[in-house]
Amino acid sequence: MTESGQDKNSDVILSQDTSVDPIISSEELSLLRKTNIALESRNYELRENLRQLRLQYQASESEREQYKREIRKVKSELEQYKTPPLVIGTIESIYSSGKVVVRSTTGPQFLSKVSEHINFDEIEVGNLCALHPQSFVVVEILPDKHDAAVTAMEVEEAPQINYADIGGLDHQIKLLRESVELPLKKPELFEKVGIEPPKGVLLFGPPGTGKTLLAKAVAHETNARFIRVVGSELVQKYIGEGARLVRELFAMAREKAPSIIFIDEIDAVGSMRSAEAYSAGDHEVNRTLMQLLSELDGFNTRGNVKIIAATNRMDILDKALLRPGRFDRIVEFPLPGENERLTILKIHTKKMHLYKSVSLETVAHETDGMNGSELMAISVEAGMNAIRHNRSKVSSEDFKEAVASVKNGRGAAAAEIKDDNMFV
């Protein structure tokens, strides 16, 4: 068969195929398109589900790792809870063989090895250290730290009181400035003369005569650290605690030199020792006093550390406290005379509004035997009398009533008030 004949046969076959059912072909094509769209949508949906599952898997893995870290942390804490506490001790001597003598807080001494993690050359006598409770090997060198009670004694902000606010104590101010302020500000003067400045100053006198007030003025006028402690704070319950507080008090003062230690009411710890004192409390007070005497003697170099003490009971102080070399200056604060009382009244009334008829000289004359605190109370009470009568100025009658009130007791005037005009 020729090629032309074959072409004719093929055309006949195609014409027969196309003429079989041309409508089914278009339906199938439409169905295929719909199926294709559905499959693509399903494919996109499956891919989105796969992406969400992968994100959930990653989140689960991250959460799983977090739980693992928490488990390790809890296990570490459990191990720490199971580990026995370390023993605190103080290094007393060091040997070249790599061993040290340590006194533990429980009392006994140990010849201990030093852990390999500690630089042996940095160890010094007196360092606090931590010991293993079983082998007593030094596993850590602790930083030196003062007792919280001692640290709280330091006055951060100096009181806003200067010498001009203190009246009638010119001689006492001069002595205190020579003994405390001058050695701290101009130590070269004592070096030129070739003498040692006074170590300590003891202030004594009746209550309310300005002892603590003058100590506050010294803290304000000098740039030294001011450490204030009441004598009763040094008396502790347990054996050796009071002596330890005294040691740490002077150690902190040396570290922060120049500094001033002010011990108020020193008779609480420095009272006269007696052979009849048999109680445990008396013995502990005596131990604290002996430690204080040791520090005052200067067995440890104090540097620019000055001590001021105050008491109302000079008669009961132990004689060991009063000898030169401990308190080199003993300054008396007597009751103020008439001129001194006038000066104190002028200081307390300088901000008050007074009538011209008010004579402070008369008030000073009528207040014989009163101290500075009572004179301040008179000024305050006179101002209160003016307020009760709705006045802004204070009269002589107000001062007269105030003097009588303070003499009879400051509570008597309040009991006699019959009207409440000041609250209207």
Side-chain angles (χ1 to χ4, degrees):
M1 185 179 294
T2 61
E3 293 181 0
S4 59
Q6 293 178 355
D7 293 336
K8 289 179 180 181
N9 292 333
S10 61
D11 291 338
V12 172
I13 294 172
L14 287 174
S15 62
Q16 290 177 354
D17 294 336
T18 54
S19 62
V20 172
D21 197 358
I23 298 175
I24 295 175
S25 174
S26 60
E27 289 179 355
E28 288 180 352
L29 181 60
S30 177
L31 181 61
L32 288 173
R33 288 176 180 174
K34 291 181 180 180
T35 305
N36 187 30
I37 292 173
L39 290 175
E40 287 182 358
S41 176
R42 180 59 178 168
N43 186 26
Y44 174 79
E45 187 178 324
L46 291 174
R47 286 200 304 267
E48 186 65 22
N49 290 339
L50 179 61
R51 188 179 68 85
Q52 294 292 336
L53 291 173
R54 285 177 177 174
L55 290 176
Q56 292 178 6
Y57 174 76
Q58 293 175 358
S60 301
E61 285 294 320
S62 176
E63 189 175 359
R64 180 168 170 267
E65 291 297 325
Q66 182 179 355
Y67 286 148
K68 284 183 177 180
R69 289 193 296 268
E70 291 182 0
I71 290 172
R72 287 195 296 267
K73 182 180 178 181
V74 171
K75 286 183 177 179
S76 176
E77 291 179 356
L78 288 175
E79 290 297 327
Q80 291 180 2
Y81 292 150
K82 293 178 181 179
T83 303
L86 301 177
V87 179
I88 304 298
T90 305
I91 295 176
E92 294 194 340
S93 59
I94 303 172
Y95 294 98
S96 58
S97 59
K99 296 183 179 180
V100 294
V101 174
V102 181
R103 179 182 292 277
S104 69
T105 52
T106 57
Q109 291 179 320
F110 301 99
L111 180 62
S112 304
K113 294 182 179 180
V114 179
S115 174
E116 299 177 353
H117 303 289
I118 299 176
N119 188 355
F120 189 80
D121 297 332
E122 296 180 356
I123 299 177
E124 297 179 357
V125 174
N127 287 147
L128 285 177
C129 62
L131 306 174
H132 192 275
Q134 296 177 353
S135 62
F136 292 101
V137 174
V138 179
V139 296
E140 187 177 357
I141 300 296
L142 304 177
D144 294 332
K145 185 178 181 181
H146 296 296
D147 191 282
V150 175
T151 307
M153 296 174 184
E154 181 182 358
V155 178
E156 296 292 341
E157 296 183 4
Q160 298 302 315
I161 298 174
N162 51 41
Y163 297 131
D165 298 329
I166 302 175
L169 296 175
D170 296 338
H171 179 64
Q172 287 79 2
I173 291 174
K174 180 181 178 182
L175 292 177
L176 199 62
R177 295 187 70 177
E178 290 177 353
S179 305
V180 178
E181 186 176 338
L182 194 60
L184 293 176
K185 290 187 173 181
K186 297 181 179 180
E188 66 276 1
L189 295 179
F190 295 88
E191 294 179 2
K192 290 179 180 178
V193 179
I195 62 172
E196 290 290 332
K199 294 180 180 178
V201 181
L202 177 63
L203 316 179
F204 77 97
T209 50
K211 300 182 293 296
T212 304
L213 191 67
L214 187 53
K216 291 180 179 179
V218 172
H220 177 78
E221 296 291 339
T222 60
N223 295 323
R225 296 293 184 97
F226 193 75
I227 304 171
R228 183 181 184 275
V229 55
V230 181
S232 58
E233 296 179 4
L234 301 176
V235 180
Q236 300 293 314
K237 177 180 179 181
Y238 298 103
I239 295 176
E241 284 297 305
R244 181 183 60 81
L245 283 179
V246 173
R247 285 195 305 271
E248 293 196 8
L249 174 65
F250 279 83
M252 185 178 73
R254 287 192 296 270
E255 289 179 6
K256 300 189 176 183
S259 57
I260 299 172
I261 300 176
F262 176 57
I263 307 176
D264 202 4
E265 306 296 345
I266 194 174
D267 50 277
V269 68
S271 57
M272 192 176 299
R273 290 169 287 183
S274 174
E276 298 178 358
Y278 292 107
S279 68
D282 292 334
H283 286 306
E284 179 58 23
V285 172
N286 290 341
R287 292 187 190 95
T288 306
L289 174 59
M290 286 185 284
Q291 183 63 42
L292 178 61
L293 296 176
S294 174
E295 297 291 345
L296 291 174
D297 275 334
F299 290 136
N300 297 321
T301 305
R302 289 200 304 269
N304 294 329
V305 179
K306 301 301 174 186
I307 299 96
I308 305 175
T311 181
N312 304 327
R313 297 294 309 275
M314 181 74 171
D315 55 317
I316 66 172
L317 289 182
D318 196 282
K319 293 181 180 179
L321 269 176
L322 305 179
R323 71 164 178 83
R326 287 170 178 164
F327 287 108
D328 296 306
R329 286 282 181 91
I330 299 179
V331 183
E332 183 180 4
F333 284 67
L335 291 174
E338 186 171 340
N339 293 332
E340 287 78 11
R341 292 197 297 273
L342 177 59
T343 304
I344 295 172
L345 285 171
K346 288 180 178 179
I347 291 174
H348 290 310
T349 59
K350 64 183 179 181
K351 294 183 179 180
M352 297 173 62
H353 298 286
L354 308 179
Y355 283 107
K356 293 182 178 179
S357 60
V358 174
S359 174
L360 294 179
E361 290 81 2
T362 303
V363 178
H365 180 73
E366 294 176 352
T367 53
D368 185 29
M370 290 190 176
N371 57 41
S373 298
E374 291 172 325
L375 294 174
M376 183 185 69
I378 288 174
S379 302
V380 174
E381 189 64 30
M384 291 299 299
N385 290 334
I387 293 175
R388 291 187 187 106
H389 295 88
N390 293 325
R391 286 186 279 105
S392 60
K393 287 189 177 182
V394 183
S395 64
S396 299
E397 192 65 27
D398 294 331
F399 274 100
K400 185 177 180 180
E401 294 178 5
V403 172
S405 174
V406 172
K407 284 184 177 180
N408 298 329
R410 287 188 289 272
E416 297 177 357
I417 298 176
K418 298 180 180 180
D419 56 353
D420 294 328
N421 294 331
M422 59 179 174
F423 298 109
V424 177

